[in-house]
Amino acid sequence: MITINDSARVTQVLNNLTSNAAKFISTGDLVEVRLTRISDKVRIEVTDHGIGIPVALQPDIFTPFRQIDPRTTSANKSSGLGLSITKQLMDLLGGQVGFSSVEGEGSVFWIELATVFLKRSECAISDLLSRAH
């Protein structure tokens, strides 16, 4: 299974999601990253067991400059753009981004990207093509 996408953009999305998750957990807690295959898609989930997102703020979570509580991220110099950029990148990649969250229990952010199945002989060609960009 090969996912054909822009690896730099996918990397930025994953960096945004994992760094966001790390901002909202307690010292010693873990951020979990899980990859699963769903039909012809790959789903990557980033889970934290942090503060969660209040229901009232969830509809605007992908809006630029939106922050749950700027005081919780002030030490990390957060601009409130990470999730907005993540949404824009996923739109460009033809993928989806979403989340579920319970205040006080944590959040799961996920992305889904289409996959393409290639024969073993085609894998080397796709690897070369992806490195050329």
Side-chain angles (χ1 to χ4, degrees):
M1 174 176 60
I2 304 284
T3 300
I4 308 291
N5 267 304
D6 182 331
S7 62
R9 288 181 179 168
V10 173
T11 299
Q12 184 176 0
V13 165
L14 293 175
N15 283 339
N16 287 349
L17 294 180
T18 55
S19 67
N20 258 16
K23 290 175 190 176
F24 297 104
I25 60 172
S26 300
T27 303
D29 283 347
L30 298 175
V31 172
E32 301 168 31
V33 179
R34 177 178 297 124
L35 175 100
T36 55
R37 184 173 140 205
I38 303 170
S39 187
D40 63 342
K41 295 180 182 180
V42 170
R43 182 179 181 116
I44 302 172
E45 296 179 347
V46 177
T47 303
D48 71 70
H49 302 285
I51 64 171
I53 302 167
V55 173
L57 299 178
Q58 291 182 12
D60 298 321
I61 200 69
F62 294 107
T63 301
F65 306 109
R66 181 70 62 205
Q67 295 182 16
I68 294 172
D69 181 351
R71 293 171 296 175
T72 61
T73 59
S74 60
N76 297 308
K77 308 284 191 225
S78 178
S79 65
L81 290 173
L83 290 176
S84 173
I85 291 169
T86 294
K87 173 75 170 108
Q88 291 174 5
L89 290 173
M90 290 307 297
D91 288 346
L92 286 171
L93 293 168
Q96 297 180 342
V97 60
F99 72 99
S100 61
S101 185
V102 176
E103 189 172 6
E105 294 182 21
S107 303
V108 178
F109 279 83
W110 54 264
I111 62 170
E112 288 184 355
L113 296 163
T115 58
V116 176
F117 295 92
L118 301 174
K119 296 177 188 169
R120 185 177 297 267
S121 61
E122 294 172 312
C123 290
I125 294 168
S126 69
D127 288 345
L128 290 173
L129 291 173
S130 68
R131 290 184 191 133
H133 294 288

